[in-house]
Amino acid sequence: MNATSEQPEIIDPLNMLRQISRRAHEAVDAAYSAYDFAAPQQYCAFLEAHARALFAAEAFLHMCPVIADWRPRASLLREDLKELGIAEPAALSLVLQPSTPEAWGVLYVLEGSRLGGRVLSARVPLGHPKVFLSAGHAKGEWAEFLAQLRSRLSVQSPDEQQRTISAVQTTFGLFEQAARISPV
């Protein structure tokens, strides 16, 4: 290749994952931003919706090979539901192959949810439990997770990358489905 030849564009696999899953992510953001936390019934419905999806996603991750340090939050959500006197809703079904590529995809959505939860926790009225939403990342933890995911994606085969991306989209779909079951 001579000096005037174009170099092939190097695609960042994490940016590719974000681009491909953007619509699914935006649909989930729209579904959950409709809940008005000032109305106690809507805050309860928000937590129920999250429980239906989160319980399924975390149960899936417990079946997978260990892929990264992650801190489950299902027990924190159960604590908030119990304090509000809400029966634990049934988890939805997350049908994915319990393998490493899929686990990274599910974990990407859950860790992103953790990031968003910190922002949403400021909207919870005083006196309402918010242990679940307040369980954010430690300093640098989100950036470290993204670096691990980027590294993992960059060594995956095209098939494994597609499985990770499909798991991301499926998990976003799970959260969107849960929001439809617990409407505003």
Side-chain angles (χ1 to χ4, degrees):
M1 190 178 278
N2 65 37
T4 61
S5 297
E6 283 191 35
Q7 295 292 320
E9 182 180 349
I10 297 173
I11 298 173
D12 176 2
L14 180 57
N15 287 338
M16 178 183 68
L17 181 146
R18 286 175 166 161
Q19 294 274 338
I20 293 170
S21 64
R22 176 173 286 145
R23 283 195 184 107
H25 189 169
E26 289 171 351
V28 169
D29 284 350
Y32 285 93
S33 66
Y35 291 96
D36 178 6
F37 289 4
Q41 293 115 331
Q42 288 193 28
Y43 180 58
C44 291
F46 171 90
L47 291 177
E48 287 176 311
H50 261 80
R52 285 185 177 92
L54 183 84
F55 294 167
E58 287 194 2
F60 169 79
L61 286 175
H62 286 297
M63 294 186 312
C64 294
V66 175
I67 57 169
D69 290 335
W70 68 283
R71 293 173 288 128
R73 293 181 294 153
S75 64
L76 304 176
L77 184 48
R78 285 183 176 97
E79 187 179 321
D80 285 348
L81 291 170
K82 184 177 180 180
E83 189 170 328
L84 290 166
I86 300 169
E88 184 177 311
L92 294 175
S93 178
L94 180 60
V95 181
L96 292 170
Q97 179 181 341
S99 66
T100 301
E102 285 79 2
W104 277 104
V106 172
L107 193 56
Y108 171 73
V109 175
L110 293 188
E111 290 302 308
S113 169
R114 181 187 300 272
L115 185 68
R118 283 299 288 252
V119 174
L120 292 175
S121 71
R123 293 179 31 201
V124 177
L126 288 175
H128 287 72
K130 58 180 183 176
V131 175
F132 167 68
L133 289 178
S134 298
H137 295 103
K139 184 177 174 93
E141 192 175 22
W142 174 243
E144 175 61 28
F145 171 76
L146 291 178
Q148 289 178 22
L149 177 58
R150 177 178 280 119
S151 175
R152 184 66 176 173
L153 287 167
S154 68
V155 298
Q156 286 181 336
S157 70
D159 175 66
E160 290 172 322
Q161 284 183 352
Q162 184 54 51
R163 288 170 41 207
T164 300
I165 291 167
S166 292
V168 168
Q169 292 174 314
T170 298
T171 307
F172 277 133
L174 181 77
F175 275 90
E176 186 180 9
Q177 177 187 2
R180 287 193 306 265
I181 294 171
S182 298
V184 176

